[in-house]
Amino acid sequence: MKSIYVLTLSYFLSQVAFAGARFTIALHAIHLHASPLTVGILMALISAAPALGSVAMGKLVDRKGTRVLLRVFTLLIACAALLPFFWGQYAVLFIAAPLLGATFFSQYIVIAAIASREGGVRARATNFSLLAIGSSVAQ
Protein backbone atom coordinates (compact mmCIF):
# COMPACT_ATOMS: atom_id res chain seq x y z
CA MET A 1 0.00 0.00 0.00
CA LYS A 2 1.29 3.44 -0.86
CA SER A 3 2.36 5.44 2.15
CA ILE A 4 0.10 8.38 1.23
CA TYR A 5 -2.92 6.16 1.82
CA VAL A 6 -1.61 5.13 5.24
CA LEU A 7 -0.89 8.78 5.97
CA THR A 8 -4.43 9.76 4.93
CA LEU A 9 -5.89 7.03 7.14
CA SER A 10 -3.79 8.23 10.07
CA TYR A 11 -4.90 11.81 9.51
CA PHE A 12 -8.52 10.67 9.17
CA LEU A 13 -8.40 8.85 12.52
CA SER A 14 -6.67 11.78 14.21
CA GLN A 15 -9.28 14.18 12.80
CA VAL A 16 -12.07 12.00 14.19
CA ALA A 17 -10.37 11.87 17.59
CA PHE A 18 -9.78 15.64 17.55
CA ALA A 19 -13.36 16.52 16.63
CA GLY A 20 -14.79 14.09 19.15
CA ALA A 21 -12.49 15.22 21.96
CA ARG A 22 -13.16 18.90 21.25
CA PHE A 23 -16.89 18.24 21.54
CA THR A 24 -16.41 16.06 24.61
CA ILE A 25 -14.30 18.67 26.41
CA ALA A 26 -17.00 21.28 25.92
CA LEU A 27 -19.78 18.94 27.05
CA HIS A 28 -17.80 17.73 30.04
CA ALA A 29 -17.10 21.30 31.13
CA ILE A 30 -20.83 22.05 30.90
CA HIS A 31 -21.54 18.89 32.89
CA LEU A 32 -19.17 20.18 35.59
CA HIS A 33 -21.23 23.41 35.69
CA ALA A 34 -18.56 25.56 34.07
CA SER A 35 -19.59 29.06 33.09
CA PRO A 36 -19.98 29.94 29.41
CA LEU A 37 -16.81 32.01 29.72
CA THR A 38 -14.87 28.99 30.97
CA VAL A 39 -16.18 26.80 28.16
CA GLY A 40 -15.16 29.50 25.69
CA ILE A 41 -11.69 29.70 27.20
CA LEU A 42 -11.31 25.92 26.90
CA MET A 43 -12.31 26.05 23.24
CA ALA A 44 -9.94 28.96 22.65
CA LEU A 45 -7.08 27.01 24.24
CA ILE A 46 -7.52 24.32 21.61
CA SER A 47 -6.72 26.87 18.90
CA ALA A 48 -4.35 29.17 20.76
CA ALA A 49 -1.66 26.59 21.44
CA PRO A 50 -1.05 25.71 17.79
CA ALA A 51 -1.29 29.33 16.69
CA LEU A 52 1.45 30.34 19.08
CA GLY A 53 3.77 27.46 18.25
CA SER A 54 3.29 26.80 14.55
CA VAL A 55 6.49 28.47 13.32
CA ALA A 56 8.58 26.73 15.96
CA MET A 57 6.91 23.44 15.06
CA GLY A 58 7.74 23.88 11.39
CA LYS A 59 11.38 24.47 12.30
CA LEU A 60 11.36 21.38 14.54
CA VAL A 61 9.99 19.25 11.71
CA ASP A 62 12.71 20.52 9.40
CA ARG A 63 15.39 19.80 12.01
CA LYS A 64 14.23 16.46 13.44
CA GLY A 65 12.50 14.87 10.47
CA THR A 66 9.00 13.48 10.20
CA ARG A 67 9.05 9.80 11.06
CA VAL A 68 9.46 9.99 14.84
CA LEU A 69 7.43 13.19 15.20
CA LEU A 70 4.45 11.66 13.40
CA ARG A 71 4.39 8.75 15.83
CA VAL A 72 4.84 10.99 18.87
CA PHE A 73 2.08 13.41 17.87
CA THR A 74 -0.32 10.60 16.99
CA LEU A 75 0.24 9.06 20.42
CA LEU A 76 -0.18 12.44 22.13
CA ILE A 77 -3.48 13.08 20.31
CA ALA A 78 -4.79 9.80 21.65
CA CYS A 79 -3.61 10.66 25.16
CA ALA A 80 -5.13 14.15 25.03
CA ALA A 81 -8.42 12.78 23.75
CA LEU A 82 -8.57 10.16 26.51
CA LEU A 83 -7.51 12.37 29.44
CA PRO A 84 -11.01 13.72 30.19
CA PHE A 85 -12.44 10.21 29.88
CA PHE A 86 -10.17 8.74 32.56
CA TRP A 87 -9.75 11.80 34.77
CA GLY A 88 -12.84 13.93 34.53
CA GLN A 89 -11.73 16.71 36.83
CA TYR A 90 -12.04 20.33 35.90
CA ALA A 91 -8.28 20.96 35.90
CA VAL A 92 -7.66 18.07 33.49
CA LEU A 93 -9.76 19.83 30.88
CA PHE A 94 -7.34 22.76 30.99
CA ILE A 95 -4.49 20.33 30.31
CA ALA A 96 -6.27 18.30 27.64
CA ALA A 97 -7.54 21.27 25.58
CA PRO A 98 -4.20 22.90 24.69
CA LEU A 99 -2.48 19.51 24.44
CA LEU A 100 -5.12 18.31 21.99
CA GLY A 101 -4.90 21.43 19.86
CA ALA A 102 -1.12 21.62 19.84
CA THR A 103 -0.58 17.97 19.01
CA PHE A 104 -3.27 17.78 16.34
CA PHE A 105 -2.04 20.80 14.44
CA SER A 106 1.58 19.78 14.95
CA GLN A 107 0.72 16.41 13.49
CA TYR A 108 -0.81 18.18 10.50
CA ILE A 109 2.42 20.11 9.94
CA VAL A 110 4.31 16.81 9.90
CA ILE A 111 1.73 15.21 7.57
CA ALA A 112 1.88 18.19 5.20
CA ALA A 113 5.66 17.92 5.11
CA ILE A 114 5.46 14.23 4.27
CA ALA A 115 2.74 14.77 1.64
CA SER A 116 4.74 17.50 -0.05
CA ARG A 117 7.82 15.27 -0.34
CA GLU A 118 6.12 11.95 -1.10
CA GLY A 119 6.27 11.15 -4.81
CA GLY A 120 7.91 14.39 -5.84
CA VAL A 121 6.40 17.49 -7.37
CA ARG A 122 4.12 15.59 -9.75
CA ALA A 123 2.31 13.75 -6.93
CA ARG A 124 1.91 16.77 -4.64
CA ALA A 125 -1.57 17.78 -5.86
CA THR A 126 -2.81 14.20 -5.59
CA ASN A 127 -1.35 13.80 -2.10
CA PHE A 128 -2.98 16.95 -0.77
CA SER A 129 -6.25 16.04 -2.49
CA LEU A 130 -6.28 12.70 -0.70
CA LEU A 131 -5.57 14.40 2.63
CA ALA A 132 -8.40 16.87 2.00
CA ILE A 133 -10.80 14.04 1.17
CA GLY A 134 -9.78 12.17 4.32
CA SER A 135 -10.33 15.31 6.40
CA SER A 136 -13.72 15.96 4.79
CA VAL A 137 -14.92 12.43 5.43
CA ALA A 138 -13.73 12.62 9.05
CA GLN A 139 -15.74 15.79 9.63
Side-chain angles (χ1 to χ4, degrees):
M1 184 186 291
K2 289 180 74 174
S3 64
I4 191 65
Y5 295 115
V6 174
L7 193 66
T8 301
L9 178 63
S10 172
Y11 184 58
F12 169 82
L13 294 173
S14 295
Q15 181 88 22
V16 169
F18 174 75
R22 184 179 55 202
F23 187 68
T24 303
I25 287 171
L27 285 179
H28 196 68
I30 292 168
H31 175 73
L32 293 173
H33 305 291
S35 69
L37 176 66
T38 304
V39 175
I41 290 171
L42 281 168
M43 295 299 98
L45 284 173
I46 291 174
S47 298
L52 296 173
S54 60
V55 173
M57 186 51 58
K59 289 179 182 179
L60 178 69
V61 170
D62 289 340
R63 234 180 13 255
K64 296 290 184 181
T66 56
R67 186 171 283 245
V68 173
L69 289 176
L70 181 62
R71 289 183 180 126
V72 167
F73 291 138
T74 302
L75 179 65
L76 285 173
I77 289 169
C79 291
L82 292 173
L83 270 175
F85 178 74
F86 289 114
W87 296 281
Q89 292 93 7
Y90 197 62
V92 172
L93 298 178
F94 282 93
I95 295 169
L99 181 63
L100 179 70
T103 55
F104 177 73
F105 289 106
S106 296
Q107 183 200 41
Y108 180 72
I109 291 169
V110 173
I111 287 174
I114 294 170
S116 68
R117 296 176 190 147
E118 184 74 26
V121 175
R122 302 189 107 192
R124 195 171 290 157
T126 302
N127 292 349
F128 281 102
S129 296
L130 284 170
L131 288 174
I133 290 169
S135 178
S136 298
V137 171
Q139 288 296 321

